[in-house]
Amino acid sequence: MSYVDQVLASVKEKNAHEPEFLQTTTEVLNSLRGVLERHPEYQKAKLLERLVEPERIVSFRVPWVDDKGEYQINRGYRVQFNSAIGPYKGGLRFHPSVNQGILKFLGFEQIFKNSLTGLPIGGGKGGSDFDPKGKSDDEVMRFCQSFMTELYRHIGPDCDVPAGDIGVGGREIGYLYGQYKRITGEYSGVLTGKGLTYGGSLARTQATGYGVVYLANEILTHKGKSFQGQKVVVSGSGNVAIYAAEKAISLGATVIAMCDSNGYIYDKDGVDISVIQDIKEVRRARIKEYIKARPSAEYHEGFQGIWSVPCDIVLPCATQNEIDLDAAKSLLKNGCWMVCEGANMPSTLEAMDAFIEAGILFVPSKAANAGGVAVSALEMSQNSLRLSWSFEDVDQRLQNIMKDIYKSMSSAAAEYGKTPEDYVSGANVAAFLKVANAMMAQGLV
């Protein structure tokens, strides 16, 4: 049995109840076989065994009081996965689906995503099974204050710097930051995604969505193509989806479909992204409201139907495993020739295999959605310098980072016997080598 197979067997035995974590470790480790054959020192140092175990997992209860005066209890987590190349960096997710396995999957992915940015940040993730939907601002504030009352002792600007994720936007970050400052008496860059009035960075809101399109556009440019005239499907309608759609439209694409967890809209004339922004960012309503503003558009219940819409390019920006094998087959049948992942691991392993086997351009999430954490790291730099850079400056740095990611994953794929278009292997190898060499240099820690 090979070294990779031995480690995967051990991971499956120890984490059988965590399917998402098993999925990401299987995908990453399988792509590293060529690297490990060339570097036997990694096996001698038991590097993979160390890599798949988080350095630390913190689990805690979060008691809070709702508007009726009733006590509520949620569970909070912080997975500090790997700090070989810098302080832990990764978002907080507030959603009923959150559990330790989900956060381990996200934290493991974050190690490689952060490595690809070229910036000195390690991998971590956290969150709670709290659902901010339907809660008042006061309820969200009380929950965030309780959550931070425990979390504050485990984080810091040179130790662990959380950000936002699903369910954690500017409102939640503000409440969390205020409580951290209240407890510690420190005004530091301990969270990113902050408001512009208290240390946030311009372009952070747009960063993940823009980064997805910047990387896709870099690949298209090297293929002699562009977004101009392409029909694009964007799943989701949150922050990542909205700004990916906005940037694709600005480059000449026609975004024809978007969705939320209830259903999807199809607008053959091109989605009006300003209407989506009003629905989702201002009114916090459901996407079906779109057809009131655009009667010529269609609304369909059930978001999975979005994968049946004929298109050229797909930007999946909703959540993990939203594209299964059947969805992948439907996309390929209807002419899709590029998938660039905006969400974290939105394609199942079977769907990824189908895309790769079909020979389409497939860009994995750890490369494509790295723009968000890249600008979070730039926010950390601005906080340390007590400076604020312009939108144009941050956006240009983001574009340069995404171009460098393209170069890194293409060259790594070619160096280790793959085609330069094998972006999955290339991204994993390029990211792994940086982390592995840092771990080796620091000894057994």
Side-chain angles (χ1 to χ4, degrees):
M1 185 182 292
S2 72
Y3 177 41
V4 168
D5 290 330
Q6 290 175 34
V7 175
L8 283 175
S10 176
V11 170
K12 290 174 183 176
E13 181 181 354
K14 293 178 180 179
N15 306 277
H17 59 295
E18 297 173 340
E20 293 86 2
F21 181 60
L22 296 180
Q23 181 179 338
T24 185
T25 50
T26 299
E27 182 257 306
V28 172
L29 267 57
N30 275 328
S31 66
L32 300 177
R33 293 179 185 274
V35 177
L36 295 162
E37 289 173 3
R38 199 179 298 186
H39 293 278
E41 68 272 20
Y42 294 161
Q43 180 173 356
K44 184 179 179 181
K46 297 293 181 71
L47 200 69
L48 290 188
E49 289 91 335
R50 291 153 57 190
L51 188 65
V52 298
E53 287 293 338
E55 293 175 12
R56 189 176 299 103
I57 299 178
V58 181
S59 175
F60 51 94
R61 72 176 180 222
V62 187
W64 57 284
V65 180
D66 66 20
D67 287 343
K68 297 178 182 178
E70 296 180 1
Y71 296 122
Q72 302 292 338
I73 308 295
N74 286 95
R75 185 175 289 177
Y77 304 90
R78 188 65 181 172
V79 178
Q80 297 175 330
F81 220 117
N82 190 288
S83 60
I85 61 175
Y88 309 106
K89 187 84 191 77
L92 297 171
R93 175 176 292 192
F94 292 169
H95 192 271
S97 67
V98 166
N99 56 46
Q100 183 171 291
I102 291 283
L103 295 177
K104 282 173 65 179
F105 131 62
L106 293 167
F108 188 73
E109 284 276 300
Q110 200 78 44
I111 300 168
F112 303 96
K113 182 190 307 185
N114 293 1
S115 175
L116 284 170
T117 68
L119 300 168
I121 43 177
K125 206 73 179 184
S128 173
D129 56 1
F130 172 77
D131 188 358
K133 286 184 179 178
K135 304 292 193 303
S136 70
D137 287 349
D138 284 345
E139 287 176 321
V140 172
M141 180 181 69
R142 289 193 290 269
F143 172 82
C144 288
Q145 289 175 339
S146 182
F147 184 88
M148 183 54 77
T149 298
E150 174 60 33
L151 184 65
Y152 87 94
R153 68 194 77 225
H154 307 291
I155 62 176
D158 297 311
C159 168
D160 185 350
V161 184
D165 192 75
I166 293 173
V168 179
R171 173 183 62 173
E172 289 76 16
I173 290 292
Y175 294 149
L176 291 164
Y177 188 75
Q179 185 71 353
Y180 180 88
K181 184 163 63 74
R182 179 185 187 188
I183 294 171
T184 65
E186 296 179 0
Y187 203 104
S188 63
V190 71
L191 290 168
T192 56
K194 301 185 294 298
L196 295 176
T197 57
Y198 61 101
S201 175
L202 290 163
R204 176 59 190 93
T205 303
Q206 297 87 350
T208 307
Y210 278 17
V212 172
V213 176
Y214 287 150
L215 182 55
N217 193 55
E218 185 70 9
I219 292 169
L220 291 173
T221 299
H222 280 82
K223 295 291 181 183
K225 298 182 179 183
S226 73
F227 271 100
Q228 186 67 43
Q230 308 297 345
K231 292 182 178 179
V232 178
V233 165
V234 180
S235 68
S237 51
N239 178 276
V240 180
I242 285 172
Y243 290 104
E246 179 186 279
K247 182 56 67 173
I249 292 167
S250 75
L251 294 177
T254 301
V255 174
I256 55 175
M258 296 182 73
C259 68
D260 61 18
S261 57
N262 287 7
Y264 72 96
I265 54 148
Y266 169 69
D267 191 337
K268 61 181 176 57
D269 298 320
V271 169
D272 185 334
I273 200 63
S274 65
V275 175
I276 298 292
Q277 287 176 302
D278 176 65
I279 293 169
K280 289 297 181 178
E281 296 182 336
V282 178
R283 293 191 278 142
R284 298 184 185 231
R286 307 310 295 171
I287 203 167
K288 65 182 178 182
E289 296 293 311
Y290 182 84
I291 59 174
K292 293 181 180 178
R294 297 276 292 228
S296 60
E298 302 172 13
Y299 172 74
H300 300 270
E301 288 287 341
F303 74 91
Q304 281 290 340
I306 197 170
W307 310 124
S308 64
V309 177
C311 62
D312 303 301
I313 298 172
V314 166
L315 306 178
C317 297
T319 191
Q320 67 265 12
N321 291 330
E322 55 180 305
I323 301 179
D324 59 16
L325 181 57
D326 288 339
K329 288 179 177 178
S330 180
L331 287 168
L332 293 170
K333 179 182 177 182
N334 286 316
C336 173
W337 50 264
M338 184 178 200
V339 176
C340 194
E341 297 186 322
N344 289 301
M345 201 173 72
S347 305
T348 65
L349 291 176
E350 295 79 12
M352 289 176 62
D353 289 342
F355 290 140
I356 293 168
E357 185 177 339
I360 71 167
L361 297 173
F362 178 76
V363 192
S365 59
K366 64 174 63 66
N369 75 8
V373 75
V375 173
S376 283
L378 297 180
E379 181 177 330
M380 292 168 62
S381 297
Q382 292 170 80
N383 292 166
S384 296
L385 294 167
R386 297 292 192 265
L387 294 175
S388 181
W389 299 332
S390 70
F391 184 100
E392 292 74 21
D393 191 3
V394 176
D395 190 47
Q396 187 58 58
R397 290 171 189 258
L398 171 61
Q399 291 182 55
N400 292 339
I401 288 169
M402 301 314 293
K403 288 179 179 179
D404 287 342
I405 289 175
Y406 168 74
K407 293 174 185 176
S408 296
M409 64 184 186
S410 296
S411 60
E415 182 179 352
Y416 284 87
K418 305 290 185 178
T419 66
E421 290 78 23
D422 186 349
Y423 303 125
V424 174
S425 294
N428 287 334
V429 169
F432 170 77
L433 286 172
K434 181 179 179 181
V435 175
N437 291 333
M439 291 175 69
M440 293 291 288
Q442 294 168 30
L444 185 59
V445 293

